[in-house]
Amino acid sequence: MSHFRSLLALTLLAAAAVASDSPKADAPKPGKRPPELGRVPFLRDYEEAVRQAKAEKKPLFVLFDEVPGCETCKLFGSGPLSHPLVVSAATSEFVPVAVANNLKGKDADVLKKFAEPAWNNPVMRFLGADEKDLIPRKDEVYHGGVVLARMAESLAKANRPVPAYLKLGVAEYAPKTTATAVFAMHCYWVGEAKLGALDGVVFTRIGMLAKAEVVEVTFDPAVIGYKALVEKAKELECTHTVFARTDAQAKTAAEVVDQGKVVRSDTAIDAKTQQQYHLAHHPRYHFLPLTMAQATKVNAALANNQSPDEFLSPLQRDIYTRFTRTTEAEGKRVFQLTPDRSPVGVIAYWAKLEETLAGGE
């Protein structure tokens, strides 16, 4: 356990206070964070946000929402608006500002300016320096993957770079299409590191299939086709057996490896073993609130003695840095946690990580 004692500290971020369920259009009290706004530190003055965006040369992320609002608004706040990638992108790549669609005064003026309906469900708009929409307005965007995709699209329209962590989030949560491939090799921990580093591989899972150590690869065929993936896997010595999931995969794989190494199988892998082996041996990265795609790329980088920081969001890099102040007692509490990389689980895990480091059980 001694190598864990340098695990870095995380200071508690502002928690979301529970607002009233009453439909009264009262302005939030100072110091309170309405649940409708999640964990994004939205500004509440639109004109101030415009000035800041111009000064920082960033686009605006404008949320029109009921505050306090209905269950849809609150779920959007506790879901996508509390996801670590969304929060980081909102604060690092944009200037975020919330405009209540059920209040009088300045909020009502902004609502009128953009012809937004009152007492409406959440609507996100991404504006350039001219306060014009970078991408078309769209209602009912409640899926975290679509939120990330619209963020990435807006940055591209604003001629700003789309960071790697945001691209990974889009590939994992809002892919146009993905497919899976399964390869057996002498060691699945070696295989997940090699295959996980490939462009077009979204994430990997390791386990057992037909008594063989295998890596299940989820990949984007638009970036790397199945045949090219098999060719790369063969080059990396990860094709002791190719478990083809479809007849088409079996035919294609046989063009790359010996026919005897191709097995047609729809059987699910037994994935009850330690995932991301190399990541697990670097606790300061392991305990970060990472998505599956991020964990895959970070694991591969660490296995190849490369810095994985390009795959982390600014928020995650900040957590990593702040871990340097973690005490031994705080570290032991963290070691009892199990990181959850799933889309919903990572939100709860992030909150639990903060609670644990703050002294909670």
Side-chain angles (χ1 to χ4, degrees):
M1 292 288 288
S2 61
H3 66 291
F4 286 126
R5 291 181 179 176
S6 62
L7 185 68
L8 302 180
L10 169 66
T11 57
L12 183 63
L13 301 180
V18 178
S20 170
D21 289 332
S22 169
K24 294 188 302 179
D26 294 331
K29 295 180 180 180
K32 296 290 185 179
R33 183 186 292 275
E36 296 84 356
L37 304 186
R39 298 186 59 185
V40 177
F42 287 103
L43 298 175
R44 297 305 299 273
D45 186 316
Y46 176 77
E47 295 301 328
E48 178 187 345
V50 171
R51 289 192 293 271
Q52 184 174 325
K54 289 180 178 178
E56 298 179 3
K57 294 182 171 56
K58 290 182 178 179
L60 282 160
F61 168 22
V62 187
L63 175 72
F64 295 92
D65 202 356
E66 285 183 3
V67 183
C70 65
E71 193 65 18
T72 297
C73 301
K74 292 178 180 178
L75 288 174
F76 187 62
S78 63
L81 295 182
S82 292
H83 191 285
L85 294 190
V86 173
V87 175
S88 194
T91 54
S92 301
E93 314 301 332
F94 300 87
V95 173
V97 58
V99 178
N101 61 31
N102 55 346
L103 295 180
K104 297 179 180 179
K106 287 185 176 182
D107 288 80
D109 293 339
V110 178
L111 205 67
K112 183 177 180 180
K113 176 178 180 178
F114 288 95
E116 283 290 336
W119 296 95
N120 192 29
N121 285 325
V123 172
M124 298 176 301
R125 293 174 70 164
F126 301 92
L127 312 180
D130 57 0
E131 298 181 60
K132 302 295 184 182
D133 289 301
L134 291 167
I135 58 176
R137 177 191 183 280
K138 190 173 183 179
D139 280 310
E140 299 183 1
V141 178
Y142 304 138
H143 187 278
V146 183
V147 173
L148 291 169
R150 288 179 67 79
M151 285 179 154
E153 184 182 359
S154 298
L155 289 174
K157 289 290 185 180
N159 295 316
R160 292 179 61 86
V162 180
Y165 73 87
L166 188 50
K167 291 179 181 179
L168 287 175
V170 175
E172 181 175 354
Y173 292 164
K176 293 182 180 179
T177 180
T178 58
T180 59
V182 180
F183 304 100
M185 66 286 299
H186 74 285
C187 174
Y188 44 36
W189 285 327
V190 172
E192 70 173 355
K194 290 181 176 180
L195 296 170
L198 297 176
D199 289 338
V201 170
V202 181
F203 56 83
T204 61
R205 286 197 313 149
I206 64 172
M208 302 296 295
L209 179 57
K211 298 183 179 180
E213 296 192 17
V214 299
V215 177
E216 180 183 79
V217 176
T218 296
F219 65 100
D220 182 350
V223 179
I224 183 169
Y226 181 72
K227 184 175 183 180
L229 179 60
V230 177
E231 290 172 341
K232 284 289 187 181
K234 180 181 179 181
E235 180 183 324
L236 296 170
E237 300 182 346
C238 293
T239 54
H240 288 193
T241 304
V242 178
F243 291 96
R245 291 314 201 188
T246 66
D247 292 339
Q249 281 192 357
K251 181 179 179 180
T252 300
E255 298 173 2
V256 181
V257 301
D258 294 338
Q259 178 71 47
K261 292 186 175 182
V262 180
V263 175
R264 178 70 173 85
S265 174
D266 293 320
T267 304
I269 70 171
D270 180 353
K272 297 178 181 179
T273 189
Q274 173 66 57
Q275 304 289 319
Q276 290 92 36
Y277 175 82
H278 297 279
L279 173 59
H281 282 74
H282 291 77
R284 290 182 291 178
Y285 289 108
H286 176 71
F287 288 104
L288 292 177
L290 303 172
T291 69
M292 288 178 64
Q294 285 184 296
T296 295
K297 297 302 182 184
V298 170
N299 178 75
L302 292 170
N304 291 295
N305 296 315
Q306 299 171 347
S307 172
D309 289 355
E310 66 172 298
F311 303 114
L312 304 181
S313 72
L315 181 150
Q316 291 162 336
R317 288 197 295 269
D318 184 57
I319 293 173
Y320 180 94
T321 299
R322 285 184 279 132
F323 271 145
T324 53
R325 297 190 296 273
T326 300
T327 65
E328 182 174 346
E330 289 169 331
K332 287 181 178 178
R333 290 199 299 268
V334 172
F335 305 153
Q336 297 174 10
L337 299 179
T338 300
D340 192 331
R341 314 296 190 198
S342 67
V344 174
V346 71
I347 297 173
Y349 171 71
W350 183 23
K352 185 63 177 178
L353 175 63
E354 294 174 351
E355 178 187 347
T356 301
L357 287 169
E361 295 298 326

